[in-house]
Amino acid sequence: MSYIVNWKKESKVNRINKIFLFILSPFFSLLYSLKSINTKSSFVVVFLFSICFGMAFTVSNIRDFNNKNDAVSYRADFEMYCLTDGTEFQRGFNDFISFKGENKDYYFDTVAFYVSRITNNYHVMFFVFSIVFAFFQLKSLKYLVLNNNFRISLFCILLVYLFAWNQIVNINGMRFWTAAWIGVYCIFKIFYENKSKNFLLALITPFIHGSFWIFLVMLVVAKFLSKYEKIWIILFIMSIIVSNILLELAQSYSGFIPSFIENEFRHYTDAMYVKQTFDTAGTGLWWVDKVFETLRKLYINALIIILIINRRNILLDINDIRLYRFMLVYTTFSNFGMSIPSFGNRFIILSYSIIAFLWLTSFKGLKYNWIIYLFPIAFFMSIYHQINLYNLVTDVYFYISSPLILIPEYLF
């Protein structure tokens, strides 16, 4: 049986080392903290590193061929707010709560507007974004590292990487990815701890990103129908095989979608948008990305299938059972939507945390270790792009500098 334990105790020397290294460089302290990631001080270091990263997050305010990141638009919109009074913000908020207008969520606008009342420094805005992001990321990660099966080993560190694949660099597109961590936290609360009142917390996710109305539907379906495990296993297998059909159905029946999310739904299923998203020819070795994208999907589905085959290990614990059944429902929905850009490909990433946790509790770090060791290979190009994104929004200076230098430079 798996259960959550207290923070691992550590020596005073270890804590002092982390403090010293953090003053020298938050990044050095982060690396040092990985060897004791299941201690409270390490979580403090990760949180502080994350908000330092948000503070130093740097992008242009002009979106062009070389600057396609969402964060470029966030900065430009923030700087527009700096030049306006509250009238436009209030009008937009009124349209949002009445399900009118173009904005299907209002988290960015709310943070951007109120920060713009204080400063015109966009680094402060990303600093605020990073606080919310890191808070829910670490609240979720506690379930993995404080599990009694967790040990400091290469195997468990790889599970941490899989669990926390949605990293702080994703404040680049923070609306979806912040909502994703709140969603993961709610999943553990609702299905692992069986605390249904956290549906109330889940209700704020569409405020952060409009697509999370779909997430709420998945939560409700899983809550009431996940007990039909055998049916969901069949549907999951079907979802792997026939997911490409969904795009055509979605385009044909989009008229039945509720009006307040119809525009966003039409945008993500639009034929031209699909073509632009998936057609990467002409970008060099585009086929390498295609191969590794397919390999990544196959790898995740293989992990799920192995969990299904070995579900007797999971069925020993009622908490794990609820989480496992939720995973079946959720990944089935995500697989069916995999051919819709910005739906299946993004929503499936929330399941990485659930898969990593169930893998730890089911096999206790002893069985199928070799499959987890293949994770960096299956995700090779994804890791490569992730590192490139870090390089794009920060420079080497950030990783070797003291916060005593970084704070005055970026915040003042």
Side-chain angles (χ1 to χ4, degrees):
M1 180 180 293
S2 66
Y3 55 89
I4 305 300
V5 296
N6 294 324
W7 294 106
K8 183 181 178 181
K9 294 181 180 180
E10 63 177 331
S11 67
K12 185 177 180 180
V13 172
N14 204 35
R15 290 194 294 269
I16 292 174
N17 287 342
K18 291 174 186 177
I19 295 171
F20 172 77
L21 285 172
F22 189 87
I23 294 173
L24 184 65
S25 160
F27 182 64
F28 293 162
S29 185
L30 175 71
L31 294 179
Y32 180 81
S33 297
L34 291 178
K35 73 181 186 68
S36 57
I37 192 62
N38 52 353
T39 60
K40 191 171 184 178
S41 65
S42 288
F43 264 51
V44 172
V45 168
V46 174
F47 180 77
L48 293 177
F49 169 82
S50 297
I51 64 175
C52 284
F53 181 89
M55 172 186 67
F57 191 91
T58 303
V59 290
S60 168
N61 63 349
I62 301 175
R63 191 162 188 169
D64 55 27
F65 181 79
N66 296 316
N67 292 286
K68 296 182 178 180
N69 295 328
D70 289 345
V72 176
S73 297
Y74 292 148
R75 175 183 173 181
D77 289 346
F78 167 75
E79 291 174 349
M80 286 295 296
Y81 269 124
C82 292
L83 302 175
T84 63
D85 59 21
T87 305
E88 184 178 343
F89 170 78
Q90 188 62 50
R91 184 186 303 114
F93 183 73
N94 291 338
D95 287 344
F96 166 71
I97 61 177
S98 60
F99 300 112
K100 298 177 181 178
E102 295 182 356
N103 284 350
K104 303 308 174 188
D105 47 64
Y106 224 64
Y107 172 65
F108 161 75
D109 296 88
T110 300
V111 174
F113 173 74
Y114 283 107
V115 171
S116 71
R117 302 304 93 184
I118 301 171
T119 177
N120 62 358
N121 181 357
Y122 78 92
H123 291 287
V124 177
M125 178 183 70
F126 283 105
F127 174 77
V128 174
F129 289 152
S130 68
I131 293 173
V132 181
F133 184 101
F135 177 81
F136 283 100
Q137 179 191 47
L138 293 174
K139 291 285 284 186
S140 303
L141 185 58
K142 280 176 65 175
Y143 286 95
L144 182 76
V145 302
L146 296 189
N147 187 275
N148 66 304
N149 293 326
F150 188 86
R151 303 288 183 273
I152 300 299
S153 64
L154 176 59
F155 175 83
C156 286
I157 293 301
L158 288 175
L159 285 180
V160 169
Y161 196 178
L162 178 62
F163 187 105
W165 178 255
N166 178 14
Q167 296 180 22
I168 188 61
V169 72
N170 282 344
I171 58 170
N172 174 67
M174 59 81 211
R175 288 163 49 244
F176 183 90
W177 300 113
T178 301
W181 273 124
I182 296 174
V184 169
Y185 178 68
C186 290
I187 289 166
F188 276 98
K189 282 291 183 181
I190 295 168
F191 293 95
Y192 185 75
E193 294 191 31
N194 200 29
K195 295 181 178 179
S196 297
K197 65 181 181 181
N198 286 277
F199 270 106
L200 295 175
L201 177 60
L203 286 174
I204 74 168
T205 55
F207 172 77
I208 299 174
H209 195 277
S211 67
F212 272 74
W213 288 110
I214 301 171
F215 173 75
L216 294 180
V217 171
M218 289 189 277
L219 286 184
V220 172
V221 171
K223 185 66 177 177
F224 293 103
L225 300 178
S226 63
K227 61 184 177 181
Y228 302 108
E229 181 185 333
K230 292 182 180 179
I231 295 176
W232 285 109
I233 291 174
I234 295 171
L235 289 173
F236 172 76
I237 300 301
M238 289 176 59
S239 74
I240 299 174
I241 300 171
V242 302
S243 61
N244 288 332
I245 298 174
L246 183 64
L247 180 59
E248 294 184 12
L249 292 175
Q251 292 170 338
S252 299
Y253 295 98
S254 60
F256 294 96
I257 302 298
S259 60
F260 61 90
I261 60 172
E262 182 179 357
N263 289 338
E264 185 168 356
F265 186 84
R266 287 184 182 275
H267 170 68
Y268 287 135
T269 59
D270 178 75
M272 183 59 70
Y273 180 81
V274 173
K275 185 178 186 301
Q276 291 175 346
T277 303
F278 287 132
D279 185 8
T280 56
T283 58
L285 297 176
W286 59 271
W287 58 270
V288 176
D289 271 323
K290 289 290 187 182
V291 169
F292 275 95
E293 181 183 355
T294 301
L295 183 59
R296 174 174 54 83
K297 293 176 183 177
L298 290 173
Y299 179 78
I300 291 299
N301 282 323
L303 293 182
I304 298 169
I305 290 171
I306 292 170
L307 286 169
I308 292 172
I309 293 172
N310 293 273
R311 60 188 179 279
R312 288 186 179 179
N313 294 339
I314 300 172
L315 299 179
L316 297 175
D317 186 277
I318 186 61
N319 297 336
D320 290 348
I321 292 172
R322 288 193 300 265
L323 202 57
Y324 159 75
R325 289 175 175 170
F326 168 83
M327 179 200 68
L328 281 179
V329 176
Y330 185 84
T331 53
T332 298
F333 272 96
S334 298
N335 272 344
F336 273 122
M338 196 62 71
S339 59
I340 301 176
S342 299
F343 174 62
N345 277 321
R346 289 199 296 183
F347 271 104
I348 193 69
I349 292 176
L350 278 71
S351 72
Y352 293 1
S353 301
I354 314 304
I355 294 168
F357 180 84
L358 289 175
W359 202 273
L360 177 68
T361 61
S362 301
F363 305 127
K364 299 176 176 58
L366 300 175
K367 197 174 183 181
Y368 300 113
N369 285 26
W370 64 273
I371 298 176
I372 299 302
Y373 294 141
L374 295 177
F375 161 62
I377 298 174
F379 278 64
F380 176 78
M381 285 305 296
S382 297
I383 294 171
Y384 170 76
H385 290 307
Q386 195 175 67
I387 294 172
N388 277 347
L389 184 54
Y390 274 104
N391 291 334
L392 185 65
V393 297
T394 55
D395 53 34
V396 175
Y397 173 77
F398 165 73
Y399 297 98
I400 60 174
S401 295
S402 166
L404 301 178
I405 298 174
L406 296 172
I407 292 173
E409 177 168 347
Y410 289 107
L411 292 188
F412 301 106

